């Protein structure tokens, strides 16, 4: 199993920015595809962005053009830069290793504790 620890969340005003970090341990990080998910209160957990082990990225339509996923294999970390934040981005954000099957990504590891992002004035 991979241990995942998310950080970087907080309270930000609409239009602001945050950078989330996810540190992974217990594996050869560079081999894995990684994803960021989010879960708002009372809603299902949704995939926000993915980055493959070859650095190809993909985004949900709701965050395209505002969020950027990146990784640093030397630091066993994946990041989510979030700009132009909106109140509807409020959620707990999680990272996970992911596997692609028929064009869809699925989480493959136990979830970490996540990091809360609140966008409010």
């Amino acid at each position: 199993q991979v241990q995942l620890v998310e950080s970087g969340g907080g309270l930000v005003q609409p239009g602001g920015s945050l950078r989330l970090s996810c540190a992974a341990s217990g594996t050869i990080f560079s081999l894995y595809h990684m994803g960021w998910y989010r879960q708002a209160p009372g809603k299902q957990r949704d995939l926000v962005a993915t980055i493959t082990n070859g650095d190809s990225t993909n985004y949900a339509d709701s965050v395209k053009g505002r969020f950027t996923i990146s990784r640093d294999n030397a630091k066993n970390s994946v990041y989510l830069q979030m700009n132009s934040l909106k109140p509807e981005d409020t959620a707990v954000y999680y990272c996970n290793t992911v596997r692609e099957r028929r064009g869809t990504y699925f989480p493959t590891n136990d979830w970490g504790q996540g990091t809360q992002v609140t966008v409010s004035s």
Side-chain angles (χ1 to χ4, degrees), residues 40 59 68:
Y59 299 92
T68 302

Side-chain angles (χ1 to χ4, degrees), residues 38 47-48 59-64 66-67 86 89:
R38 67 185 181 187
L47 183 60
V48 172
Y59 299 92
D61 288 342
S62 59
V63 307
K64 201 170 293 184
R66 300 188 297 121
F67 291 10
K86 305 175 181 180
D89 295 318

Side-chain angles (χ1 to χ4, degrees), residues 26-81:
T27 189
I28 304 175
F29 177 77
S30 61
L31 297 180
Y32 285 84
H33 305 325
M34 297 296 297
W36 279 99
Y37 292 76
R38 67 185 181 187
Q39 187 169 23
K43 296 188 176 181
Q44 67 181 19
R45 192 170 301 181
D46 291 327
L47 183 60
V48 172
T50 59
I51 185 166
T52 70
N53 55 12
D55 289 338
S56 294
T57 59
N58 198 23
Y59 299 92
D61 288 342
S62 59
V63 307
K64 201 170 293 184
R66 300 188 297 121
F67 291 10
T68 302
I69 189 171
S70 61
R71 65 191 298 160
D72 185 339
N73 291 335
K75 296 182 178 180
N76 281 10
S77 294
V78 62
Y79 307 99
L80 188 67
Q81 177 67 43

Side-chain angles (χ1 to χ4, degrees), residues 6 9 18 20 37 41 43-45 56 64-65 98 100 103 107 116 121:
E6 302 93 343
L18 281 175
L20 306 183
Y37 292 76
K43 296 188 176 181
Q44 67 181 19
R45 192 170 301 181
S56 294
K64 201 170 293 184
V98 296
E100 185 269 339
Q116 175 70 49
S121 55

